[in-house]
Amino acid sequence: MSTSTQGEFHIPPGLTPELMQWLRTQMAAGVPAPSLLQSMRTAGWAEHLARRALALPEEGELPFPFAAAKAASGPAVSIEKSATGVPEPDLKTDPCSIKVGDREVHVLTSLSNPRVVVFGNLLSDAECDALIAEAKPRMQRSLTVDNQSGGEALNQDRTSNGMFFQRGENEVIRALEERIARLLNWPLENGEGLQVLHYLPGAEYKPHYDYFAPNEPGTPTILRRGGQRVGTLVMYLNEPTRGGATTFPDVGLQVVPRKGNAVFFSYDRPDPATKSLHGGAPVLEGEKWIATKWLREREFK
């Protein structure tokens, strides 16, 4: 098969002009290569063709279609780890909001110890509704990580239903994950898949830590997938009538659920001294839907 051309750029053999145009558009919008690769896999593209479209060519060159994207919109966004060694929004200039590509996220509350930041306007109403609709058919009784075995187990402290999306599973999730990576200055690939949880009246998640206890027998198995958890982002997809706050008992903080808002907290070591103890207070009236993104030290696999 001869290599076709589109303008001055050569299309790799086996790939269509339509796909390459889509890739140019996605890269111009700042979507990272790992997310694009996952999207192509989901759509049924052969692995070797997807990688041919995304792989770096000769030394120092940008691959097609990244060169076109760069020419059209400047350098693609590269998410590096924050200088603090844990996920951290850029609040050095005390901004009231942070631009994260496709959205302007409001900074509502910031606490240093523990490190807690409450964000507004992280998700649109439509995105919240879409996540709930996609998650509903897949809900099951929530499990927790079992530090004894390294697997999952039923925990009486957690009385919600939940499910996990694959990273980059659909368009809404891809856009949200890119937004989170920009907001928290943490590589997209270091995030676990998004978990959606549903709490009915009386349901709760008693105070707990999100890091993995270092001395438990199952922890080495858990850490092989990406190291320790170092940050958590809880996003509110709706508003219960009463109850359902995210609580931080060590500092007496309660974050009330507001649709589209989120609370972020980080922990630089697996130790109670981080004051990252938190819980989901019982829903007293109505129901609560949240989406949680856990962030790891390294790429999560």
Side-chain angles (χ1 to χ4, degrees), residues 66-299:
F66 303 149
K70 182 175 182 180
S73 64
V77 174
S78 176
I79 304 296
E80 301 291 342
K81 287 186 176 181
S82 68
T84 63
V86 295
E88 174 66 17
D90 186 2
L91 303 181
K92 293 188 294 293
T93 61
D94 294 327
C96 293
S97 61
I98 301 174
K99 293 182 179 179
V100 287
D102 64 342
R103 201 162 184 82
E104 189 160 327
V105 178
H106 305 151
V107 180
L108 303 181
T109 300
S110 178
L111 196 63
S112 297
N113 186 23
R115 188 48 170 152
V116 178
V117 183
V118 180
F119 295 111
N121 196 46
L122 179 59
L123 297 89
S124 69
D125 284 357
E127 288 173 324
C128 292
D129 295 343
L131 289 174
I132 292 173
E134 289 285 338
K136 272 185 177 179
R138 298 160 60 177
M139 303 300 285
Q140 297 179 347
R141 173 66 189 271
S142 298
L143 302 176
T144 58
V145 173
D146 183 6
N147 288 318
Q148 295 296 312
S149 68
E152 293 182 316
L154 192 66
N155 187 334
Q156 296 303 319
D157 289 344
R158 191 182 204 182
T159 52
S160 61
N161 292 322
M163 57 78 64
F164 275 96
F165 287 109
Q166 294 293 319
R167 199 167 57 213
E169 182 172 324
N170 59 43
E171 185 176 345
V172 171
I173 290 172
R174 286 192 295 273
L176 179 56
E177 288 175 333
E178 172 65 17
R179 197 177 301 155
I180 292 169
R182 291 170 181 258
L183 178 65
L184 301 179
N185 294 301
W186 205 248
L188 185 151
E189 60 270 20
N190 290 23
E192 298 182 24
L194 197 70
Q195 185 184 42
V196 172
L197 295 169
H198 182 210
Y199 294 81
L200 292 170
E204 64 178 323
Y205 194 177
K206 293 181 180 178
H208 61 282
Y209 298 100
D210 281 353
Y211 58 72
F212 306 115
N215 299 322
E216 296 291 347
T219 296
T221 299
I222 299 168
L223 298 184
R224 289 193 196 109
R225 299 193 67 187
Q228 269 287 359
R229 286 175 176 167
V230 289
T232 302
L233 183 70
V234 177
M235 295 160 276
Y236 304 108
L237 305 182
N238 83 321
E239 299 177 9
T241 305
R242 292 192 301 123
T246 302
T247 64
F248 294 85
D250 287 343
V251 291
L253 176 65
Q254 285 198 140
V255 180
V256 176
R258 287 287 178 263
K259 187 174 183 179
N261 288 6
V263 58
F264 162 74
F265 52 100
S266 62
Y267 26 98
D268 59 2
R269 59 197 183 281
D271 192 305
T274 59
K275 299 181 183 178
S276 60
L277 185 70
H278 64 286
V283 174
L284 302 177
E285 185 178 351
E287 59 181 343
K288 181 176 78 168
W289 288 87
I290 63 171
T292 302
K293 169 67 78 171
W294 286 291
L295 305 170
R296 297 284 192 110
E297 293 177 292
R298 303 186 297 275
E299 180 179 358

Side-chain angles (χ1 to χ4, degrees), residues 60-72:
E61 292 183 4
L62 284 172
F64 180 88
F66 303 149
K70 182 175 182 180

